[in-house]
Amino acid sequence: MKAVLLAAGKGERLHPITETRPKPLVPILDKPLLLWHVENLQRVADELYVVVRSQDKEMVSSLLNGYNVHVIEQKDGIGGTATAFSSLPTMEDFILVYGDVFYNPSLLQKLANFDNAIVGKEVNNPSEFGVLSINDSFLLSIIEKPENPPSRLINAGIYKLSKQIFYYVDKISPSSRGEMEFTDVVNTAVKDGLKMEVIKYDDFWIDIGKPWHVIEANRLALERIETRIDGEIENNVIIKGKVVIEKGAVVKSGTYIEGPVYIGKNSVIGPHSYLREGTVMGSGTKAGASVEIKGSVIMEGTKVPHLSYVGDSVICEDVNLGAGTLIANLRFDENDVKMSIKGKMETSGRKKLGTIIGGHARTGINVTILPGVKIGSYARIYPGAIVNRDVQKGEFFKPWP
Amino acid sequence: MKAVLLAAGKGERLHPITETRPKPLVPILDKPLLLWHVENLQRVADELYVVVRSQDKEMVSSLLNGYNVHVIEQKDGIGGTATAFSSLPTMEDFILVYGDVFYNPSLLQKLANFDNAIVGKEVNNPSEFGVLSINDSFLLSIIEKPENPPSRLINAGIYKLSKQIFYYVDKISPSSRGEMEFTDVVNTAVKDGLKMEVIKYDDFWIDIGKPWHVIEANRLALERIETRIDGEIENNVIIKGKVVIEKGAVVKSGTYIEGPVYIGKNSVIGPHSYLREGTVMGSGTKAGASVEIKGSVIMEGTKVPHLSYVGDSVICEDVNLGAGTLIANLRFDENDVKMSIKGKMETSGRKKLGTIIGGHARTGINVTILPGVKIGSYARIYPGAIVNRDVQKGEFFKPWP
Amino acid sequence: MKAVLLAAGKGERLHPITETRPKPLVPILDKPLLLWHVENLQRVADELYVVVRSQDKEMVSSLLNGYNVHVIEQKDGIGGTATAFSSLPTMEDFILVYGDVFYNPSLLQKLANFDNAIVGKEVNNPSEFGVLSINDSFLLSIIEKPENPPSRLINAGIYKLSKQIFYYVDKISPSSRGEMEFTDVVNTAVKDGLKMEVIKYDDFWIDIGKPWHVIEANRLALERIETRIDGEIENNVIIKGKVVIEKGAVVKSGTYIEGPVYIGKNSVIGPHSYLREGTVMGSGTKAGASVEIKGSVIMEGTKVPHLSYVGDSVICEDVNLGAGTLIANLRFDENDVKMSIKGKMETSGRKKLGTIIGGHARTGINVTILPGVKIGSYARIYPGAIVNRDVQKGEFFKPWP
């Protein structure tokens, strides 16, 4: 069986995270989401096709060097779905997965037994997804972001498809965004009589569409780790709960860890750091003296060296936080924190949410960052500044108006 | 014998502490002053009368539920003294204590042996109190706040009285504030020939009239604790001096305590906290990572979670200090710190004094608070703000003018 | 043999360090440079002459009380060199050393064997020094700060001289600064045929001319310490590398030290301090809770009590840093840090350089100090201020314009 991964999303809603990396390279426990997909799919498929944007091809290919994967460049004007179908061998069954979802791969084994199937997941906010209209256990249609969803069961973005589906590909017109949508193919096929089983799935699942989903996807992965310590731990270190400490990492004396926590290879933690539940330190990161980090994803090479508090935040690669940089993660009114997504303020649905800082940014010492603020990649924040609005890519934010 | 406690003070000079609690509920070692009084008086009296303001009656009654105490509402226009006398049985001796004083109860046993007696305490600032004019060991008169005090011996607010005193109650006209003053009753009685012994007392005593007295009263109580540890202490905790750690409290690893320190029930201290002498943590409080607290009273439910320094301050109930909130407690010129009391700047007589923060207030991250500043209850301090003036109840203080 | 030390420099380029102490009293490992010189020279000379400024005489004499040293006041209008020659006995050989240099004294033994010799040291920036023009191993001339230096060998400021040199002293006219320059004497003598050997020296050497040289001289000394612990160390202290902890010092629990580090007598370190390589704590200093210090010289009596980061800085005597005072030591562009020297911006040649704070200064809480900024002695920095320019002696720097 084949497998195809649709990984050509632009990821603009994930800015500033995706200002410096393709969306498929968002890390979960310090490993790009794309690798999780590839490793998942290799369990059930003998050949993998990954559809990516032209500009991402080189980076993705390099990442997949050594893996048996076809990296396919999305063709201009036809979109990822059409590109995938034009590349796949037409005589075989295949599994198709959206590149943005993170899920339990044990699902795939079960899915492989069906001819045509779509995975459905119950969620609390179905209106934000494609909702499944079903009859018995069969799909009637996928309704995109309905105001009044017929159920809480949504399209998880994971399909098993037979070669029959190819018949419908040519029948579809491009959507309003000028691309063939895969859900249109499915809806057309089902309407035409193709029997598509709906597999209800109730294990972990997330669609990584907005910045805080990176925290949540990492949290899902963290909750499934088993303790493994391959790094070095000095005296007087307290570890509670489950932790992974990778090779080459050093946890210095006086550090206090409340798992689940992941510490990537060659990281330096401490002395006197306090890593709390939900923290993921990428490889080559540093959490220094009197630094507290909670519920946050710190990407590779980033340093939080002195006297900082980082809560419920994403700090991308190669960032340096000046001494005493503090991040607020709770509003005074304790309402859900809002964040600007593609220029529009959206609620995160989270009472606690800190900041999202893009790659290669630098904050000066004693910087104050308010909840829900985004700081662009390569930005510079002047020492002592109070960051109370989004900072653009490369902007130099100063404390005085 | 009966006992009466005059606890109907408004406590305006104790603002913002008394913005959210009656004056008698100011805590000493996490227990309301009123309970200290009741427990003291129960050693010598079989029946207790506590005179309170109407608006405090419910809260006081609820606190005294289970105690054998008459809670008496002060009657409008006649004041606490007249209310007390109109409620007391007239045929019995009684002990009368002002609700604002904190003292060693062993005194009461001795006092009970006299017919009529007043307790005198030598202080360095007699002009701020009622000064005792005496002849041998008998009272001549109590002179309120004299400019040139005849001695350093002042009225400690603790009396033993016989039923004879009732005779004089009706002879008194209301004072300029429209109430009968108990000292007028005493002065009239003594002038008329009543023999009132002056008991000189030289153990600890304080009149809790101004906010910093709450620090000092707690300090007096702290100096008398014996070490008792009923809470949980993790590894690598250093404890020096005397401490009380109540049940349900957890002291996390790396915490360093220099007693005398009191830690209330269900508090969480650490990791890496530094609690120094004179610190009282109320029940359900938190002192978190890299937090240092010295000579301060932190009331119930208040959180100081991250990277703060709190020195010589009072932080009332249910306050949250944002990460990195810092409190200065020393002027550059090292003069005594001043504080506004009912709108008038007064010296505290203390070289070191931080802030007084009212109940339910919130500070943002990285807030700077200057010595002697008061922050009202329910106030909000914007992240990064420099608080260099008093903040009103409910005010939202912003860093920019 | 005699020895003479020219220690009459004004040290203006070392401001603010020299605002409150004569240049010869700059400390290296908590001991004035002058004492290092005296102790070095006493190994080879039986009589010492130290030439100082009039205003420094009292302080220097008091420091040298108990040492067998002639403290000679520089005479007005003729400079240190002429003063030295007019004071020395003319019939004896002597060693002459500039008061600003710090070097390995084992050199002196070798030097003593020559009649006339000058020490040459290879450096990377010869244009900033007197460069030696030589023929075989003999000096041709010393060329002051040449644009195109003939070699990298410079005048180390250490000479062995025979009585012949006195002959040339009278032949010299004052230089443009109105004083006889010792290098003019040497150049004249050599030109006249005096044979002066050039001793190439390749051990440690530094000319302490600019503030950051104080860090570097201390670093050179630190690299040569052997571990010696005469102070008290509490439990749970981590020590790596070489340290000296003097008598009366206390290192409190949870402190983490990465040597080489020097801790002067009666200092208090910790709890939870982090002292990193290159730190010198003078006598009676304090590094408190959650304080990190790296590559810095903290002079006697100075307190860094709470939540500070101090990197690559010099903090003179009796300074108090308010809680949360943070010092930046790296520019965003990672270029070498610049500092104003006698009113002119100069590069330090250092990527990492923090601040120089003069004696008796005070910073408020939560103060932010930018790289390369100098703060004058007796200055006051208002709480919360961002110090982004030099602060004058005694100035009160406020956060608002």
Side-chain angles (χ1 to χ4, degrees), chain B residues 83-145:
Chain B
T83 301
F85 280 93
S86 68
S87 308
L88 277 168
T90 55
M91 301 306 289
E92 260 194 90
D93 285 11
F94 62 99
I95 281 177
L96 183 146
V97 177
Y98 293 174
D100 310 335
V101 300
F102 183 62
Y103 63 99
N104 189 336
S106 66
L107 164 70
L108 298 176
Q109 215 68 51
K110 183 181 176 192
L111 193 65
N113 299 327
F114 291 87
D115 274 346
N116 293 287
I118 179 170
V119 176
K121 167 76 183 170
E122 289 209 335
V123 299
N124 290 323
N125 53 345
S127 297
E128 299 181 18
F129 299 93
V131 177
L132 303 189
S133 167
I134 65 176
N135 182 10
D136 284 335
S137 66
F138 291 99
L139 183 69
L140 292 178
S141 72
I142 305 168
I143 313 162
E144 283 304 319
K145 302 189 181 174

Side-chain angles (χ1 to χ4, degrees), chain C residues 13 37 54 67 88 109 119 179 181 304 308 328 339 367 395:
Chain C
R13 293 179 307 157
H37 277 303
S54 332
Y67 288 84
L88 278 168
Q109 214 67 51
V119 176
E179 295 184 3
E181 304 293 343
V304 190
S308 281
M339 188 171 278
V367 160
E395 184 183 348

